[in-house]
Amino acid sequence: MHQALAQKTERNLIVEDGWIYFIHGWSQVIAEVFHLELTPELVNELSDATSDLKPK
């Protein structure tokens, strides 16, 4: 991520933070294991709850 941000202007890149993609994939597995229905609100709640763990 840091490398992409450093090259963003020079290489005309669109840089996406992959955190929400990570949370989505992780939550899909958790939902399957625990037989939960994932709603967009629940995914957002999980993202908020884990934000302290997000790499800087």
Side-chain angles (χ1 to χ4, degrees), residues 32-47:
E32 188 170 325
V33 169
F34 292 104
H35 307 287
L36 301 171
E37 180 181 345
L38 279 181
T39 63
E41 294 80 18
L42 184 54
V43 173
N44 287 334
E45 188 177 330
L46 289 169
S47 180

Side-chain angles (χ1 to χ4, degrees), residues 4 10 13-14 16 18-19 22 31 33-34 39 41 43 45 48-49 52 55:
E10 176 185 317
L13 299 175
I14 297 172
E16 291 285 338
W19 185 251
F22 169 76
V33 169
F34 292 104
T39 63
E41 294 80 18
V43 173
E45 188 177 330
D48 292 345
D52 290 344

Side-chain angles (χ1 to χ4, degrees), residues 2 6 9 17 26-27 30-31 34-36 40-42 47-48 51 53-55:
H2 297 291
T9 303
D17 180 350
W26 171 79
S27 64
I30 297 299
F34 292 104
H35 307 287
L36 301 171
E41 294 80 18
L42 184 54
S47 180
D48 292 345
S51 64
L53 302 172
K54 182 179 176 181

